[in-house]
Amino acid sequence: MTTVSDPAVQRTAGGFGHPRHGGAGTAGQASGRQPLTGAGQDDVYVEPGLTPLMAREANRSALTSLLDSAGVPYFAVRGTSDHGTVVAVAEADRERVLGVVFRGLGQYPGHLSVIDPEAPRPARPVSSRDPKAWRDVATARVLQVSWYRTDPGRHLLLGHEYGCAIEFWRPHGTHLVAPRANRATWAVAAGGTNVLGAARMFSRFVSDWTPRHLAPALATRPEFLVNCADDITFPVDAVYTWVDGNDPVWQQRKAQAKGEVYHAESASDARFISRDELRYSVRSLHLFAPWIRNIYIVTDDQVPAWLREDVPGLRIATHREIFRRPEDLPTFNSHSIESQLHHIEGLAEHFLYFNDDMFIGRPVAPHAFFTPSGTARYFPSRNRIPQGPVAETDTPVDAACKNNRALLRERFGRVITQPMEHIPYALRRSAMEEAERDFPEAWARTSASRFRAMTDLSPTSSFALYYAALTGRAQPGSMPFTYLQLAVPDLADRLQRLLDGRNQDSFCLNDAFSTPEDIEAQQELLDGFLNAYFPTPSPYER
């Protein structure tokens, strides 16, 4: 997936879903719009509502529509790539397959590559308009077909990796044998019949909770319907904490409680500003983590103005709902709120906790955050927790880390030395429940702190992760990510590099120290960046 500049996109057309003219072709959108041709340019099709999962499914549907139009039997294969799909056809049907693919790509030009399973690196895709694309198809064991797609604003380009591969399976006795390895089997019964397989069997980017219209069940063979050792089948939820610092009712509550502030950073207005990051972070899940089951947004009786609450899969959870001690409210301390997240009704055992300034940066599988056995992954920082007891000069973050360290050393005899990176925190609900029971006084003090206090724990960003690790439920991991502090003079350049690269699994746009003057200048940059990086609205937006 890459960023697209306007000159690169020379053709527009609808998506590929159903054949337009009987057996003639793939796939034009129902509107019948045709590509706009530009001499010498590749074909790129504009798709409203574009997501990687949509591009993957549209390419698969386009190709299987071609095979259906020619009466060619096929079945889905559990391939080794999560981005694209794979269908198998019998070698005996090669001529019919190549004929219908040639006609389809003639009507709606796309890209083609011949895949050699033994080659050290994959072949580059070639435009189907180029005769070179067809040079070796007569003997190819695997072909990959794709139609490049972009969003109406031309910010995303979803290319060949989201295509559909055709594998030619050869007969061997009573079986058909695969031309290359897949995730399940080398052979299927030649006389076998198709069955439906759940979409999650064919990509780790899909779960049993992904909407069926985005990831339908596929016709496959029974040999593929097994739960492999590396499958993740348990649900994963996402939790956000969010506040609208411009809400006058909330501001009044905060002003009444402000006398308890001990550190300038704790009450900094920048900590409570809503820059609409939440909207775009939820978009990042819709685009790049469609395996999330439910999203919970924890608020102080606030609802984002853009949010639809009538769409399944997202729910507001108020502080009043999750706090076990009503006298701890109102609170303006993220540590306090985080200490109660495991009380969300219906929350999965495995969940990701996001600050609203955290984003998924490209398609990731749940395996980035959890192992198939359910072990959570945490991401230690290169920084170190300062030595010694809590001091007045400590930041709220360092003070909480020191408190974490003291309790965990007393309980487990181990010393934690690293805070965590600003990467979505993979948490186990049971570990948080047990930590609250094991350390009731420290947990209660944190819950009761209306602003960050010297006695706080940092429940989600450190304590619960290390507690899970020391009780056998978490392990260290690594992930390509970026942490960007907004109060930097070269913010525009850094945002542009992040947008151009799109090579980070996650990133955080953090702000604790911006002045009102900074905020006004930053907002225009952020608006442009976030709309370009996440151009497709989620289903939860008005």
Side-chain angles (χ1 to χ4, degrees):
M1 182 180 64
T2 60
T3 306
V4 180
S5 59
D6 284 349
V9 184
Q10 300 295 331
R11 309 177 191 282
T12 61
F16 295 92
H18 304 284
R20 291 187 60 238
H21 301 295
T26 72
Q29 191 180 36
S31 67
R33 289 176 295 165
Q34 297 292 321
L36 300 178
T37 57
Q41 299 293 328
D42 289 340
D43 295 278
V44 179
Y45 297 88
V46 173
E47 296 275 9
L50 183 66
T51 69
L53 193 57
M54 177 184 177
R56 172 181 175 271
E57 173 57 20
N59 283 328
R60 183 202 64 81
S61 180
L63 188 58
T64 56
S65 293
L66 286 172
L67 298 177
D68 287 336
S69 72
V72 176
Y74 59 87
F75 54 87
V77 174
R78 296 184 67 173
T80 57
S81 168
D82 293 316
H83 291 82
T85 50
V86 183
V87 295
V89 297
E91 173 63 33
D93 290 320
R94 177 184 292 271
E95 186 175 343
R96 283 196 295 163
V97 170
L98 295 181
V100 75
V101 169
F102 183 82
R103 291 194 298 274
L105 286 171
Q107 183 177 3
Y108 290 97
H111 288 77
L112 191 69
S113 64
V114 173
I115 298 174
D116 178 358
E118 275 78 51
R121 59 181 59 89
R124 299 174 67 91
V126 180
S127 169
S128 61
R129 296 176 181 273
D130 188 337
K132 295 177 183 176
W134 304 93
R135 181 177 296 165
D136 298 317
V137 298
T139 57
R141 290 185 283 174
V142 184
L143 297 176
Q144 177 119 339
V145 179
S146 67
W147 291 267
Y148 287 17
R149 300 166 193 276
T150 187
D151 64 287
R154 300 173 181 181
H155 300 297
L156 299 176
L157 176 63
L158 303 184
H160 202 59
E161 66 268 36
Y162 297 99
C164 186
I166 307 170
E167 294 184 347
F168 294 95
W169 287 47
R170 296 178 179 272
H172 183 78
T174 60
H175 288 78
L176 294 175
V177 178
R180 59 176 179 173
N182 56 61
R183 293 188 59 221
T185 181
W186 276 102
V188 300
T193 57
N194 284 357
V195 295
L196 285 180
R200 71 164 176 84
M201 298 273 185
F202 304 96
S203 173
R204 299 186 306 166
F205 295 140
V206 177
S207 73
D208 285 333
W209 298 274
T210 304
R212 295 295 180 264
H213 69 280
L214 299 177
L218 302 183
T220 188
R221 289 298 182 86
E223 290 88 343
F224 291 109
L225 299 188
V226 294
N227 283 324
C228 297
D230 60 345
D231 287 344
I232 287 182
T233 57
F234 51 80
V236 179
D237 289 341
V239 176
Y240 288 91
T241 49
W242 179 82
V243 63
D244 179 5
N246 297 319
D247 176 7
V249 176
W250 181 89
Q251 288 177 340
Q252 183 178 9
R253 289 198 295 269
K254 182 183 172 216
Q256 291 171 349
K258 238 179 176 179
E260 299 180 27
V261 177
Y262 88 95
H263 192 286
E265 183 187 337
S266 300
S268 167
D269 287 337
R271 299 190 61 82
F272 303 103
I273 290 171
S274 173
R275 301 175 181 270
D276 230 9
E277 297 104 321
L278 177 64
R279 179 203 296 259
Y280 295 98
S281 187
V282 172
R283 283 189 184 188
S284 80
L285 297 185
H286 174 61
L287 278 163
F288 304 137
W291 40 268
I292 290 290
R293 184 186 67 165
N294 290 319
I295 300 171
Y296 297 93
I297 301 176
V298 176
T299 76
D300 186 7
D301 288 316
Q302 296 178 315
V303 178
W306 53 266
L307 183 68
R308 291 182 58 182
E309 294 186 81
D310 60 336
V311 179
L314 185 148
R315 183 170 73 81
I316 296 290
T318 68
H319 294 179
R320 291 180 293 104
E321 172 191 334
I322 67 174
F323 269 74
R324 288 299 177 260
R325 300 196 314 174
E327 61 269 27
D328 292 347
L329 297 175
T331 185
F332 308 91
N333 177 4
S334 60
H335 291 156
S336 168
I337 299 165
E338 291 161 4
S339 75
Q340 304 297 305
L341 296 183
H342 55 291
H343 297 147
I344 296 173
E345 184 179 356
L347 181 66
E349 163 67 9
H350 301 84
F351 68 98
L352 300 181
Y353 170 55
F354 288 75
N355 301 133
D356 64 0
D357 57 5
M358 292 177 175
F359 306 85
I360 300 298
R362 59 182 176 180
V364 296
H367 300 68
F369 299 99
F370 298 98
T371 70
S373 64
T375 301
R377 301 186 196 274
Y378 61 91
F379 305 96
S381 169
R382 289 169 293 179
N383 296 327
R384 293 297 183 270
I385 301 169
Q387 295 296 315
V390 174
E392 290 185 0
T393 54
D394 283 333
T395 66
V397 171
D398 286 342
C401 283
K402 288 182 175 182
N403 292 329
N404 298 340
R405 178 175 63 197
L407 285 182
L408 293 171
R409 178 171 53 196
E410 180 182 349
R411 169 71 167 78
F412 297 103
R414 301 291 185 91
V415 175
I416 64 171
T417 60
Q418 295 167 271
M420 298 296 169
E421 299 289 10
H422 287 69
I423 293 172
Y425 307 114
L427 295 164
R428 296 285 300 271
R429 186 178 187 178
S430 62
M432 291 191 70
E433 291 170 344
E434 290 177 24
E436 183 177 24
R437 289 197 299 270
D438 277 5
F439 305 96
E441 293 181 5
W443 214 269
R445 271 197 308 271
T446 302
S447 175
S449 299
R450 298 199 192 280
F451 291 92
R452 290 190 175 185
M454 302 296 273
T455 56
D456 280 359
L457 303 177
S458 45
T460 55
S461 63
S462 177
F463 193 91
L465 296 169
Y466 279 120
Y467 185 92
L470 293 169
T471 56
R473 285 169 286 189
Q475 66 184 40
S478 62
M479 172 182 291
F481 84 102
T482 289
Y483 171 80
L484 178 54
Q485 176 58 251
L486 297 180
V488 293
D490 59 342
L491 178 61
D493 290 340
R494 296 191 187 197
L495 290 174
Q496 191 61 51
R497 287 196 295 272
L498 189 57
L499 179 63
D500 290 343
R502 289 184 177 269
N503 57 1
Q504 304 296 290
D505 285 351
S506 71
F507 60 87
C508 177
L509 305 178
N510 190 254
D511 188 9
F513 301 104
S514 293
T515 66
E517 294 76 18
D518 292 333
I519 291 165
E520 185 175 352
Q522 292 164 3
Q523 195 60 51
E524 185 176 356
L525 290 174
L526 283 177
D527 286 345
F529 169 79
L530 292 171
N531 275 295
Y533 207 111
F534 308 109
T536 303
S538 76
Y540 311 109
E541 297 182 36
R542 294 186 184 278

